[in-house]
Structures are given as C-alpha cells and as structure tokens.
Amino acid sequence: MGNKKVNLAILDMYDGEPNQGMRCIRDILSRFSDEISYREFDVRGKAEIPDVRNFDIFISTGGPGDPTEGDGHWDLLYNEFLDQIWIWNLSNSRKKQLLLICHSFQMACRHFGLGQITQRKSTSFGVTTIHKTPEGMQDPLFLNLLNPFWAVDSRDYQVVQPDKRKLKSLGAKLIALEKIRNHVEYERAIMAIRISDEIVGTQFHPEADAVSFLEHLKKPMVREKIIELKGKAKFRNMLEDLVDENKIYKTNETLIPNFLGQAIQKLRLLNTPSLI
C-alpha cells in the first residue's frame, strides 16, 4: 500500500440534529491521520450515499428517531448501500469494512432480519456495562476491553428477539448483550452483532467520550430527566463514571481504534507482495 492513505466514508445519520457523535468520530480518526483520509455523507438530510467502489472502510453513525421509518428515499438508498457492501464482499478479495453504530445498527438488523426492533418502555441513557457473549470474548473488536466493559447508551429503541436461523444462515454472531436486570421481566437487548468478518455493529456508542457526555448533561432538560428516572445518587454515580479512565474513556480509546487498526492491517496484507 506504500504511503497511500486508506479511504474512509462516514455515513452521517444525525439528520442535521446537533450531536456529539460526529465530533467524537472525527477525533478518533484524527489519531489515524497518517493512514486514513475520510469524507462525510449526509444520508438523511441530503440522501448522500458513498459509492462503495471508492472507499475501503465505512463508519455509519447513530442518529435520532425511529429506525423503522424513513422518507421512502434515503432509507431505500441506505438499504441498497448495505446490500452493495454485502455483495461486494462475497465476490472481491479486497473486502469493505463497515462499523454500524446505534441507529445504523438497528436499521441493519431490521434490513438483514437479524432481530425485532421495539420501542423501549423508557429511554436508556447513561454510562452502562456491556456484557460480552462467549463469541464476543473471542471477537477482535473487543480486544483489550474487560468483560463487562463500559459504554454510553442512548436510545429509545432496541434490537431484541434474535432470529437464530437468520443469524446462522448469514454466519452472524451475537457478541454483546445488555446487563442482566433480574428485577424486571424485559429481555436483554442485543448490544452488538458480528454480521460478517467485515461488518460489525454496536447498539451502544463506542465513540463517546467524557466531553461529549458532559455537554449533553449540561442541558437542563436532560439532567432533570435523568434525575427523574434514576434519582440524584445515580446521577452523581454517572458523573463519577465519566472521569474513570477504565470506563468510557477506555472504550473510546479501544473499540473504534481496534476496528480501524484491524481494517488497515487486512488491507496492508492484501498489498504485501508474495514471497514466492
């Protein structure tokens, strides 16, 4: 590959809403500036979709709203994009690597028929533990993360009731689940799926950092809602979790860098001349 940079596309799913996700992703990519150049595509606002042929790596972001709804235009283009990645990887040795975050993950799970998308009884918001499955213990995405590890969770919807037959037919694996909540009857949400060797998605926000979360907590409505839902003691614990370097800081420093580092390594191996 020489000094040629790898091309990466960010699929921005925020629909123009103010967010910290894009800043966090750009910040992580800045750590790879010697190896990666990237472009951003406004999927929902402008129906911009990257040409699969022009990029090697894709990060598709979180975003607001119901993942089962679109405007009949951008959402169809997005589903077509998912199919193009899948078909490309079936027939080419130079694979396309895709990371799906939160809203994108929910849309992909629906598109591939991997599970049910349901609205939660209440918003999940805060710093939470993510539990690896036995398959997740071996997954390279989680390399150097403890079990459980910590991440920011922010969602009104969830993926539940995995379709085991569909997972098996695609070769997909559940790699992380929500924490066990013995005091409630709700089933554990799926927190990450390895859809294929090249396509992986998380329900949580691996890009989140303490700055982004604190910015969110500065909004009086957000703070009041959390205190109302969880109480003041839990709110204070949440603030302490933010500054603990073994919690979301560790996930921010580890998970997406794992994904990017492994993707770059695979591309380099393809471009290494044979010794024979």
Side-chain angles (χ1 to χ4, degrees):
M1 208 154 63
N3 294 322
K4 193 168 182 287
K5 291 187 180 183
V6 172
N7 291 328
L8 181 146
I10 303 175
L11 286 83
D12 175 358
M13 302 288 274
Y14 283 101
D15 200 16
E17 282 211 6
N19 68 88
Q20 289 288 319
M22 289 296 289
R23 180 195 62 76
C24 291
I25 290 167
R26 290 181 198 121
D27 177 70
I28 292 168
L29 288 173
S30 72
R31 303 173 209 167
F32 290 81
S33 59
D34 290 345
E35 298 167 290
I36 290 173
S37 64
Y38 69 89
R39 273 187 61 197
E40 297 173 12
F41 294 82
D42 182 353
V43 176
R44 292 167 72 177
K46 297 178 184 170
E48 293 176 346
I49 297 281
D51 185 330
V52 165
R53 294 168 299 183
N54 295 340
F55 298 90
D56 290 302
I57 309 174
F58 303 83
I59 296 177
S60 192
T61 74
D66 185 341
T68 66
E69 290 180 358
D71 65 0
H73 181 48
W74 72 260
D75 49 315
L76 297 185
L77 291 175
Y78 185 76
N79 287 335
E80 199 177 294
F81 160 78
L82 293 174
D83 286 337
Q84 285 172 358
I85 295 272
W86 188 267
I87 292 161
W88 176 280
N89 286 344
L90 287 177
S91 50
N92 289 276
S93 59
R94 189 181 176 88
K95 312 291 188 192
K96 307 293 182 179
Q97 312 289 323
L98 169 61
L99 174 66
L100 302 148
I101 298 171
C102 199
H103 194 93
S104 297
F105 170 70
Q106 293 163 348
M107 285 191 70
C109 285
R110 182 169 186 250
H111 179 67
F112 290 119
L114 301 178
Q116 298 296 312
I117 314 298
T118 62
Q119 188 162 6
R120 287 179 55 90
K121 195 164 176 65
S122 62
T123 302
S124 174
F125 181 77
V127 179
T128 188
T129 50
I130 309 295
H131 296 254
K132 301 179 192 180
T133 63
E135 290 85 0
M137 297 290 283
Q138 312 299 323
D139 198 281
L141 189 71
F142 299 150
L143 193 66
N144 298 322
L145 287 173
L146 297 173
N147 188 37
F149 59 94
W150 295 79
V152 166
D153 198 23
S154 173
R155 60 198 161 88
D156 292 306
Y157 294 85
Q158 61 187 356
V159 183
V160 290
Q161 296 168 30
D163 186 327
K164 289 177 180 166
R165 277 172 55 193
K166 195 65 193 274
L167 286 162
K168 190 174 180 184
S169 73
L170 292 180
K173 295 174 185 144
L174 302 187
I175 56 173
L177 292 169
E178 197 172 32
K179 66 184 178 186
I180 301 166
R181 298 179 294 167
N182 291 326
H183 58 291
V184 291
E185 74 277 19
Y186 310 122
E187 64 181 302
R188 295 168 80 185
I190 299 163
M191 297 307 278
I193 297 179
R194 166 71 62 184
I195 300 174
S196 71
D197 286 346
E198 300 81 29
I199 304 171
V200 67
T202 71
Q203 176 67 94
F204 56 91
H205 285 269
E207 79 281 13
D209 60 14
V211 174
S212 65
F213 203 77
L214 287 167
E215 278 299 315
H216 204 54
L217 294 182
K218 281 181 186 173
K219 299 171 190 167
M221 272 177 60
V222 173
R223 193 165 57 245
E224 284 161 22
K225 188 176 179 183
I226 294 170
I227 290 170
E228 184 188 329
L229 284 170
K230 299 178 182 288
K232 281 191 173 175
K234 278 266 180 79
F235 181 73
R236 279 196 297 273
N237 289 344
M238 204 181 284
L239 294 176
E240 286 171 15
D241 288 341
L242 288 177
V243 293
D244 186 330
E245 62 184 31
N246 292 311
K247 292 187 176 175
I248 70 163
Y249 175 82
K250 176 75 171 170
T251 302
N252 168 278
E253 287 282 304
T254 306
L255 193 148
I256 295 180
N258 278 349
F259 169 75
L260 295 172
Q262 290 153 15
I264 291 165
Q265 184 67 18
K266 286 173 187 172
L267 291 164
R268 280 210 178 112
L269 287 171
L270 279 175
N271 287 275
T272 303
S274 171
L275 296 176
I276 298 169

